[in-house]
């Protein structure tokens, strides 16, 4: 039995930022499995090439790489033009790039604060704005921002991260307010606690893992491939009347106390 046509992304060009590893890699791989033509992004061209080769081997899809710094607006603008000219019209943009820095707030350095906000929030503005220019001209496009349960919930030691993800939630809604009348959908996925390189220290912390599995109704850490279904929904015609929404994929963490 084939999947419902509303969820079809076959042949659509999708850019996924921060996709050489972790959640970004899983999302890019999921789009490739579904038949999309994927553009991987990161700053390390060699890491991108390795990830591209891995996805191609696994899926047989057409996969490109485009190395640029998502926190540098000039680089983003040039890359958006290059991708549109050399690869084709981008119909799906996934703003996934993110960084974490854990420190008590009184000890949080100025540079670290700016780096967290630039990487997690400013980059989504720069990338979303530049790729939306062509989407608006065509009258359609999907932007999916990767938020977090920290878009809603605070936790000691990561206040700037929570601030950046809370800002990304509202940027998503702002994109909806500006661009929905022009035919675009801007939504977000908010992962709970997933086992990735970014959370490795927490995964290896026996006390934290025990607390998390007890706190999460599903009773475990998430697996990155479990985010793909939400992405396919928000990237496909199935979500054409869904806009400005934050879809929490968190094993129930934000639903209970």
């Amino acid at each position: 039995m084939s999947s419902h046509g509303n969820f079809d992304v076959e042949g659509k060009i999708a850019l996924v930022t921060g996709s050489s590893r972790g959640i970004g890699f899983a999302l890019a791989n999921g789009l490739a499995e579904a038949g999309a033509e994927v553009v991987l992004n990161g700053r390390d061209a060699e890491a991108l090439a390795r990830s591209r080769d891995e996805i191609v081997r696994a899926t047989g899809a057409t996969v490109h790489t485009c190395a640029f710094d998502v926190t540098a607006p000039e680089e983003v603008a040039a890359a958006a033009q290059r991708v549109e000219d050399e690869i084709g019209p981008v119909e799906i943009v996934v703003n996934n790039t993110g960084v974490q820095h854990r420190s008590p707030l009184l000890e949080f350095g100025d540079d670290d604060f700016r780096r967290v906000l630039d990487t997690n929030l400013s980059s989504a503005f720069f990338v979303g704005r530049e790729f939306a220019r062509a989407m608006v001209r065509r009258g359609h496009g999907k932007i999916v921002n990767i938020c977090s349960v920290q878009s809603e919930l605070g936790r000691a030691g990561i206040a700037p991260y929570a601030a950046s993800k809370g800002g990304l939630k509202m940027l998503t809604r702002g994109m909806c307010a500006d661009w929905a009348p022009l035919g675009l959908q801007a939504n977000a996925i908010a992962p709970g606690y997933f086992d990735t390189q970014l959370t490795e220290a927490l995964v290896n912390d026996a006390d934290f893992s025990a607390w998390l599995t007890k706190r999460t109704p599903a009773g475990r850490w998430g697996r990155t491939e479990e985010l793909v279904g939400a992405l396919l929904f928000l990237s496909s015609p199935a979500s054409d009347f869904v806009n400005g929404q934050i879809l929490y994929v968190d094993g129930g963490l934000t639903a209970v106390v």
Side-chain angles (χ1 to χ4, degrees):
M1 182 180 295
S2 61
S3 61
H4 196 291
N6 275 355
F7 295 88
D8 184 19
V9 296
E10 184 83 29
K12 295 183 183 296
I13 298 175
L15 172 85
V16 184
T17 69
S19 47
S20 63
R21 63 179 185 172
I23 286 175
F25 177 86
L27 296 176
N29 189 73
L31 285 166
E33 287 178 329
E37 184 174 343
V38 179
V39 183
L40 304 180
N41 160 260
R43 290 183 297 180
D44 186 336
E46 292 183 358
L48 288 174
R50 289 192 295 270
S51 297
R52 176 199 59 206
D53 293 346
E54 185 175 346
I55 293 174
V56 170
R57 283 194 301 269
T59 68
T62 300
V63 183
H64 311 271
T65 65
C66 188
F68 63 93
D69 183 351
V70 293
T71 69
E74 300 85 359
E75 285 192 39
V76 174
Q81 189 64 57
R82 187 165 68 251
V83 170
E84 288 275 332
D85 290 345
E86 298 177 5
I87 298 174
V90 174
E91 299 181 67
I92 302 162
V93 168
V94 183
N95 281 309
N96 166 77
T97 299
V99 68
Q100 177 63 284
H101 184 86
R102 299 180 180 91
S103 175
L105 193 53
L106 290 176
E107 301 169 15
F108 218 100
D110 296 347
D111 289 342
D112 290 326
F113 181 84
R114 294 188 186 96
R115 180 172 62 93
V116 169
L117 262 67
D118 283 348
T119 305
N120 297 352
L121 178 58
S122 299
S123 68
F125 166 66
F126 298 143
V127 173
R129 178 186 62 184
E130 293 308 320
F131 282 90
R133 296 186 192 280
M135 290 179 174
V136 165
R137 290 195 298 270
R138 292 189 288 266
H140 62 88
K142 303 278 187 176
I143 295 175
V144 182
N145 297 323
I146 305 304
C147 288
S148 167
V149 291
Q150 260 68 60
S151 296
E152 293 290 344
L153 305 173
R155 186 164 64 80
I158 58 167
Y161 179 84
S164 70
K165 292 299 187 175
L168 185 56
K169 175 184 72 174
M170 294 312 299
L171 178 62
T172 302
R173 291 175 173 166
M175 289 175 170
C176 165
D178 271 41
W179 298 336
L182 304 174
L184 277 60
Q185 289 84 50
N187 294 287
I189 298 170
Y193 284 82
F194 280 71
D195 185 352
T196 69
Q197 289 171 293
L198 194 65
T199 59
E200 185 176 7
L202 298 179
V203 173
N204 294 333
D205 183 329
D207 290 338
F208 184 89
S209 281
W211 170 83
L212 177 67
T213 54
K214 184 177 180 181
R215 172 68 177 82
T216 304
R220 62 177 175 82
W221 288 82
R223 297 183 290 270
T224 54
E225 61 269 20
E226 293 177 305
L227 294 164
V228 172
L231 178 61
L232 293 179
F233 167 58
L234 294 176
S235 300
S236 66
S239 60
D240 279 354
F241 202 56
V242 178
N243 227 323
Q245 302 304 305
I246 318 300
L247 176 54
Y248 288 86
V249 183
D250 63 1
L253 179 65
T254 54
V256 302
V257 293

